[in-house]
Amino acid sequence: MDFNFKEEQLQFADALRRWIDKDYGFEVRKRVVHSATGVSDDAWNTLTELGMLALPVPEAQGGFDGSAVDMLVVMQELGRGLVVEPYFATVWGARFLALAGNQHRLLEDVAKGELKLACALGEKQSRHDLADIKTIAGINGEGYRIDGTKTVAIHGGQADALIVSARSAGAQRDANGISLFVVRTDTPGVTVRDYRTIDGLRAATVQFSHVAVPASALLSKLGGGCEMLDEAADYGTALLCAEALGVMDALFAATLEYMKTRKQFGTPIGSFQAVQHRMADMYIHLEQARSMAMLAAARMSCGDIEERRRVVSAAKVRIGHAAKFIGQQSVQLHGGMGVTDELPAAHHFKRLTTIEATLGDVDHHLERFIAQRGFGQHS
């Protein structure tokens, strides 16, 4: 497999990195995190101008029809810069719209930066099982009525519209009977409670009380949204793996620089053999994670559902282990400063910890990987 990026992909990455270095440094990020909304309109406008919102949108709706590999380059840079804008939430939501194939106007608005999305899929009892759904969708005249509560909707409070999973048939954990809808946040009956998460981003609890939506809000066939949900969740997981890679890149580089400047007994601690061994182990974890993140992105378009599931789960497991190891080692090598808000390393570790728990943690994806057909069989 060719792991070299195309010239266009490198240009996207370079433009994004230059903007982050110049206008979205650590101090700017801290001000955004502690602002009333937790996001920056200026940053969002810049991401739009750079073409980042149009990148994953199909060409027919004014986008660049970017692949998961194209998105890997972008997410890696956003991770490296610890960007807290609602980019991931929006492009993940746009994936649902693209898979639905009937939401052209909304996709055009996403490409133009005029529509922010969020995915309201998880519930209090569901943990990592997105098919564990108590939210109910019933037929209401020519449309539908949604009732239920969704939790930890990333950037749900900043979204103009939500991708919502609801059960229209079957038991609570059945794969069949899941329907997906796009719901405007200003729809009567929608209540959004916004809060800041430990990594500086925003999330929300969203309550739906007798929420009436038109028939056009249905993204999947009624009761037939499981396959779309599964594919979009894998896409979101691949993007998170790419972001984690960028975070680890930045954390490793910061730790390496600190090892060169921090002195003990008049000597840089990076000259000590024990420290060098730690840095070597961190580098091995980083490169293994890089390979798996790239493989997951490449396999998103392979057309083989089982292969996609297998590789995405393997990537989430490997990157989860790498994130924990690199994060813990970096904090220890920085000493007490490694856990203070004044040092970027602490924020890198918090973001890595949150990513590991988003869309399935290591244990969840290890079980999913083992459950794939053919695991453990020998020819």
Side-chain angles (χ1 to χ4, degrees):
M1 178 177 291
D2 184 5
F3 284 114
N4 294 314
F5 292 114
K6 299 176 182 178
E7 183 64 29
E8 294 84 356
Q9 294 168 334
L10 294 176
Q11 289 174 353
F12 261 104
D14 182 62
L16 195 52
R17 184 180 296 196
R18 282 190 280 111
W19 166 67
I20 292 171
D21 290 344
K22 180 176 181 292
D23 298 319
Y24 206 93
F26 183 60
E27 294 303 318
V28 173
R29 178 191 183 273
K30 285 201 295 186
R31 290 197 296 270
V32 173
V33 167
H34 293 286
S35 67
T37 61
V39 296
S40 165
D41 289 339
D42 289 340
W44 185 258
N45 292 334
T46 300
L47 289 171
T48 302
E49 293 169 0
L50 291 173
M52 301 304 161
L53 274 304
L55 181 58
V57 174
E59 290 184 13
Q61 283 75 56
F64 299 128
D65 201 21
S67 67
V69 177
D70 296 323
M71 292 300 297
L72 179 146
V73 175
V74 172
M75 292 302 299
Q76 185 175 344
E77 293 303 324
L78 294 178
R80 185 177 281 113
L82 286 177
V83 175
V84 296
E85 308 308 317
Y87 182 80
F88 166 73
T90 296
V91 297
W92 184 27
R95 182 65 174 181
F96 284 92
L97 300 182
L99 291 173
N102 60 355
Q103 300 292 333
H104 304 318
R105 178 62 183 275
L106 295 184
L107 282 170
E108 291 173 2
D109 291 342
V110 169
K112 293 184 289 187
E114 297 176 358
L115 180 71
K116 295 176 183 176
L117 298 170
C119 297
L121 306 174
E123 299 186 5
K124 184 177 181 180
Q125 81 291 340
S126 62
R127 192 164 171 79
H128 301 304
D129 183 5
L130 295 182
D132 186 344
I133 300 171
K134 288 185 177 180
T135 299
I136 299 298
I139 295 176
N140 181 38
E142 296 183 356
Y144 305 94
R145 192 184 82 176
I146 302 174
D147 291 276
T149 302
K150 297 293 183 176
T151 57
V152 199
I154 301 172
H155 282 121
Q158 291 69 46
D160 303 301
L162 303 167
I163 308 300
V164 182
S165 59
R167 184 158 297 286
S168 52
Q172 179 180 325
R173 296 180 178 84
D174 287 351
N176 296 323
I178 297 173
S179 298
L180 297 166
F181 300 88
V182 56
V183 182
R184 292 277 183 174
T185 53
D186 58 0
T187 304
V190 177
T191 304
V192 181
R193 183 174 66 84
D194 176 54
Y195 53 88
R196 191 169 72 214
T197 53
I198 192 174
D199 55 347
L201 273 67
R202 310 289 292 198
T205 298
V206 187
Q207 184 173 354
F208 302 87
S209 181
H210 307 303
V211 176
V213 296
S216 60
L218 182 64
L219 298 179
S220 61
K221 292 181 179 180
L222 188 64
C226 182
E227 186 174 322
M228 181 189 297
L229 179 60
D230 188 58
E231 180 174 345
D234 278 346
Y235 180 82
T237 302
L239 296 190
L240 287 175
C241 287
E243 183 186 354
L245 178 59
V247 177
M248 288 187 285
D249 263 333
L251 185 53
F252 178 82
T255 306
L256 181 60
E257 184 62 27
Y258 186 71
M259 296 303 95
K260 295 177 181 178
T261 57
R262 175 71 168 89
K263 292 186 177 182
Q264 190 69 269
F265 308 114
T267 304
I269 61 176
S271 64
F272 301 153
Q273 190 175 53
V275 172
Q276 291 175 0
H277 287 170
R278 284 196 184 192
M279 294 300 298
D281 289 341
M282 289 168 62
Y283 182 76
I284 291 171
H285 276 276
L286 177 60
E287 291 308 304
Q288 289 176 339
R290 191 186 313 281
S291 296
M292 288 306 300
M294 297 176 75
L295 182 60
R299 285 291 187 267
M300 278 306 303
S301 58
C302 71
D304 185 330
I305 295 176
E306 291 186 355
E307 174 69 3
R308 184 198 75 217
R309 290 172 176 168
R310 184 163 42 246
V311 171
V312 168
S313 285
K316 196 64 159 57
V317 170
R318 179 82 287 277
I319 286 167
H321 285 307
K324 182 178 181 180
F325 183 85
I326 292 173
Q328 289 180 343
Q329 294 297 319
S330 296
V331 166
Q332 289 183 359
L333 289 170
H334 276 91
M337 291 179 58
V339 294
T340 62
D341 281 346
E342 288 73 23
L343 202 69
H347 298 266
H348 286 111
F349 195 16
K350 288 177 182 178
R351 181 58 187 146
L352 288 174
T353 301
T354 305
I355 288 175
E356 194 274 335
T358 304
L359 287 179
D361 60 11
V362 166
D363 291 341
H364 171 82
H365 279 282
L366 187 59
E367 290 180 4
R368 185 177 187 243
F369 180 86
I370 293 172
Q372 297 305 305
R373 187 172 59 180
F375 178 81
Q377 294 181 0
H378 301 280
S379 57

